[in-house]
Amino acid sequence: MDKEIETLLEMVKSANRRPFWQSTPQEARSGPMLMALLFGEAPSVERDESFTIPSSGGFDLPVRLYVPSKAPKGLIVYFHGGGWVIGTVAGYHPFTATLANRTGCAVLSVDYRLAPEHAFPLPVDDALAAVRWAASPAAAKAIGLEPPVLVAMGDSAGGNLATVASRLHNASSPARRVDLQVLAYPVTDHRFDTGSYAEFAEGNLLTRNDMKWFWDHYCPDTSKRSHPDASPMQAQDLSDSPAALIVTAGRDPLRDEGEAYGQRLKDAGVPTEVVRGEGLVHGFLAMINYAPSAGRAFEKMVAAIGRVNAG
């Protein structure tokens, strides 16, 4: 583990902050996220704009589009983390601006509806609406050209939404498919019985009790948690999923389900690379300017997106 991450864990422990599972959603949203504490200032991007796109129930879905150049190499649809309960496009602005500049791709950052006010499946509706928009002529018009590559990307709960939405989109035989999914420490199953859940139940930023709290808000009807749009590990057929890069954190309750999902994708014939970030903890995308190992993990994601573009 990088000394920077060791220091961070000690700081969190000594701060004695109230854990998510002992908070209300409003209290959890009021505290600073790791991105604000660790990432640093957002870089400038050639152009960015905020607007809305239509989603289910007449909802106008807020998005922010970053265009790093006059000829971006592709379009990344990004879904932020936060257990479907916390997190915002504004809070992720430093990261998504960096993602646009480092990959040379336009980035569409999605402010999907949050639970418990908007429980499953509404966040999935928003994710699918965003991916469908990204695959439409409207996206090409907003960017200024037809993006050569379409990527769905997310971290944690956002990784869950990215993989579900890209599978659903590709399964609909669209004119434009998602080419690649990039998932950072994704939520892929509703069960809490893996080895990593036992080993890292406490002490590494995200706890097992926190994840139970997030699931209770996102999908309070436990009978629906096995639905493949909630728990993609439970899908019978993953063959419509785009090629994948899954990067897990070695010290994360979600590690084993992310890696097991990667194996499920491989078994379905989906080209998939699974990378474990040894010594990393949940939320490491907020740490790419703070801990060297987090920065290296991010570079693997940038490289994977570059390879799809080159191909």
Side-chain angles (χ1 to χ4, degrees):
M1 188 188 301
D2 290 349
K3 64 180 184 299
E4 291 86 355
I5 294 178
E6 289 182 1
T7 300
L8 174 65
L9 294 178
E10 285 299 321
M11 289 170 57
V12 170
K13 185 177 179 180
S14 62
N16 201 29
R17 69 169 179 83
R18 178 183 293 184
F20 290 127
W21 64 274
Q22 292 181 345
S23 306
T24 66
Q26 291 72 26
E27 288 168 343
R29 292 167 187 161
S30 68
M33 292 191 71
L34 277 177
M35 195 68 67
L37 296 173
L38 297 177
F39 196 91
E41 293 296 315
S44 60
V45 179
E46 180 167 298
R47 174 166 64 90
D48 75 89
E49 58 180 312
S50 297
F51 51 93
T52 63
I53 59 178
S55 187
S56 65
F59 178 65
D60 292 325
L61 174 62
V63 295
R64 186 166 183 171
L65 178 67
Y66 301 80
V67 183
S69 68
K70 290 181 173 55
K73 298 177 180 179
L75 174 57
I76 301 168
V77 186
Y78 195 85
F79 301 97
H80 66 75
W84 308 282
V85 175
I86 62 176
T88 63
V89 161
Y92 266 67
H93 169 62
F95 174 76
T96 43
T98 298
L99 181 65
N101 285 344
R102 290 289 294 112
T103 61
C105 292
V107 174
L108 185 76
S109 189
V110 184
D111 246 339
Y112 56 89
R113 284 171 281 187
L114 298 177
E117 296 89 347
H118 306 286
F120 173 80
L122 291 179
V124 175
D125 290 352
D126 291 348
L128 183 56
V131 169
R132 285 177 171 162
W133 183 89
S136 76
K141 182 177 179 180
I143 294 168
L145 54 76
E146 177 74 25
V149 171
L150 182 56
V151 179
M153 182 173 179
D155 66 294
S156 193
N160 172 284
L161 296 175
T163 194
V164 169
S166 57
R167 171 176 53 81
L168 293 173
H169 173 73
N170 283 6
S172 68
S173 301
R176 179 64 189 274
R177 294 169 60 89
V178 176
D179 300 299
L180 175 70
Q181 55 180 322
V182 178
L183 313 177
Y185 38 89
V187 186
T188 66
D189 207 354
H190 66 282
R191 296 175 295 186
F192 311 99
D193 58 358
T194 63
S196 58
Y197 257 116
E199 187 175 1
F200 305 114
E202 300 285 344
N204 291 277
L205 297 188
L206 180 71
T207 70
R208 180 167 54 190
N209 281 337
D210 288 336
M211 278 308 304
K212 289 181 176 179
W213 182 87
F214 285 128
W215 270 106
D216 285 345
H217 287 305
Y218 178 53
C219 197
D221 183 347
T222 57
S223 68
K224 294 181 179 179
R225 293 184 187 179
S226 293
H227 193 289
D229 295 353
S231 293
M233 270 287 289
Q234 302 299 317
Q236 294 299 306
D237 183 4
L238 291 169
S239 61
D240 284 314
S241 302
L245 170 65
I246 300 174
V247 184
T248 63
R251 301 179 63 85
D252 180 6
L254 302 184
R255 182 195 69 196
D256 289 359
E257 67 190 68
E259 294 174 2
Y261 183 62
Q263 187 59 52
R264 283 287 319 282
L265 288 169
K266 291 178 183 179
D267 292 344
V270 177
T272 302
E273 180 182 7
V274 179
V275 176
R276 179 185 294 185
E278 296 289 0
L280 286 174
V281 295
H282 193 85
F284 67 71
L285 287 185
M287 308 173 197
I288 65 173
N289 295 325
Y290 171 76
S293 58
R296 291 191 294 271
F298 177 60
E299 289 305 319
K300 292 181 184 296
M301 300 177 191
V302 172
I305 294 167
R307 287 194 296 272
V308 172
N309 188 277

